[in-house]
Amino acid sequence: MTKLNTSKWTKYKLLRKSSKLSVNLPETAWLRESSFWRMIKKYGEIIIKPTGSYGGNGVIRIKKMDSSTYEVQDGAAKKSFTQYSQLNAYIKKKALNNNIIQRRIPLATVNDRPFDLRVMVQRRLDSPWEVTGKLAKVAGKGFIVTNIRLSSGKVVSLDYALKYSELKKMRAADLHSQLDKVALKAAQQLSPYYSWVRTMGIDMALDKEGNVWIIEVNFAPMLELFLKLKDKSMFQKMKSFHKSKPINRVN
């Protein structure tokens, strides 16, 4: 059996096989001119990103502003297209570089800045998956991506983000529980296809109504992100999982 690649698109298709996870997956498609117009018409705002890159590189947002104007945001820079031909040419160029298109989730915000979540799920040899850490990544001013390096954003605890967001009236314990449940389902769904993986960094999100979303799954997440939290206990727990003898990875 040929080993599956680890692209965002492949992992999305595997997650989509689970009927239990379908409600937690924002609609995603391979970028084509046809898929772009279908999804921008359906949602009004979409994200385009390379299927093989990480760290927020190459992520752009396109938003329909009115009947003839579309705003494209790349990093903190914005530009507008008012002619279909110009926007089509832009999309075709992006499509040549193996990009996927995804519904833009209306992320919950802290001080008007969107945040998403990194949920760490790990397992030891012959043991079940376990959630070992959660944190929130708050985008820098004017950015849509929450990557700390790219947007000069910040890392905060999930409880801090919830306390100062639109979700502050919801029970934090319930949101934690929902995130854990969905993250574990995602790991269980992917693990049969990637038997060598024992650590997954699942990028998740809460929208303004508190719904849980899976943005993407990383197999080589930076544990050091958790050192930015005052409480280092999650980092220490995650590191302990790496001390057990690793499963041989097939490259």
Side-chain angles (χ1 to χ4, degrees):
M1 178 178 174
T2 303
K3 179 177 173 290
L4 285 172
N5 70 48
T6 58
S7 72
K8 295 180 177 71
W9 179 234
T10 298
K11 285 182 280 192
Y12 169 79
K13 289 189 292 182
L14 294 174
L15 289 170
R16 193 175 57 185
K17 289 176 178 285
S18 168
S19 59
K20 294 179 180 179
L21 289 173
S22 59
V23 69
N24 307 109
L25 293 168
E27 184 178 353
T28 304
W30 193 254
L31 180 62
R32 295 282 185 265
E33 186 179 335
S34 57
S35 61
F36 170 78
W37 287 110
R38 177 180 62 80
M39 289 181 66
I40 196 72
K41 180 179 180 180
K42 184 175 181 179
Y43 298 113
E45 188 173 6
I46 55 88
I47 293 289
I48 292 174
K49 54 187 175 182
T51 187
S53 70
Y54 296 92
N57 292 299
V59 177
I60 64 169
R61 182 201 68 170
I62 301 179
K63 182 177 182 179
K64 186 176 182 180
M65 306 301 288
D66 55 42
S67 60
S68 61
T69 305
Y70 296 84
E71 181 183 82
V72 176
Q73 182 171 356
D74 185 351
K78 298 178 181 179
K79 61 181 176 181
S80 294
F81 290 93
T82 56
Q83 295 183 9
Y84 285 118
S85 59
Q86 292 177 334
L87 186 53
N88 270 334
Y90 182 83
I91 296 304
K92 285 181 179 178
K93 185 177 179 181
K94 284 287 180 182
L96 292 174
N97 297 318
N98 294 333
N99 280 270
I100 55 176
I101 181 172
Q102 190 171 73
R103 173 191 175 188
R104 171 83 194 285
I105 300 302
L107 300 180
T109 61
V110 173
N111 297 324
D112 295 323
R113 299 183 187 186
F115 72 88
D116 63 15
L117 312 167
R118 169 62 56 84
V119 180
M120 296 294 298
V121 185
Q122 295 175 282
R123 64 176 176 180
R124 302 184 194 278
L125 284 170
D126 303 317
S127 296
W129 289 99
E130 180 180 342
V131 174
T132 54
K134 294 192 289 285
L135 56 72
K137 299 175 291 176
V138 184
K141 186 176 181 180
F143 281 80
I144 55 165
V145 296
T146 59
N147 180 268
I148 305 306
R149 179 181 58 82
L150 286 181
S151 74
S152 298
K154 64 178 180 178
V155 169
V156 299
S157 69
L158 174 55
D159 287 331
Y160 177 94
L162 295 177
K163 182 178 179 180
Y164 294 98
S165 75
E166 301 93 333
L167 308 177
K168 59 191 174 197
K169 294 182 180 179
M170 301 183 70
R171 290 188 70 240
D174 291 342
L175 293 173
H176 274 274
S177 178
Q178 275 295 104
L179 287 163
D180 289 355
K181 183 179 179 181
V182 174
L184 289 170
K185 282 182 182 177
Q188 291 158 2
Q189 175 66 15
L190 290 175
S191 58
Y193 303 97
Y194 303 101
S195 59
W196 47 267
V197 174
R198 290 192 296 131
T199 293
M200 296 188 191
I202 306 180
D203 285 335
M204 304 181 71
L206 292 165
D207 64 25
K208 296 179 187 297
E209 281 74 49
N211 299 307
V212 174
W213 298 92
I214 299 171
I215 305 302
E216 60 188 56
V217 181
N218 301 300
F219 291 161
M222 281 183 56
L223 304 187
E224 288 73 21
L225 207 56
F226 284 80
L227 284 175
K228 296 180 180 292
L229 297 173
K230 184 177 180 180
D231 181 0
K232 311 294 189 223
S233 61
M234 285 187 287
F235 176 77
Q236 297 301 331
K237 183 175 184 178
M238 289 184 289
K239 289 291 285 185
S240 74
F241 275 71
H242 284 239
K243 292 178 181 177
S244 55
K245 186 178 179 181
I247 297 173
N248 290 331
R249 175 173 175 175
V250 180
N251 291 316

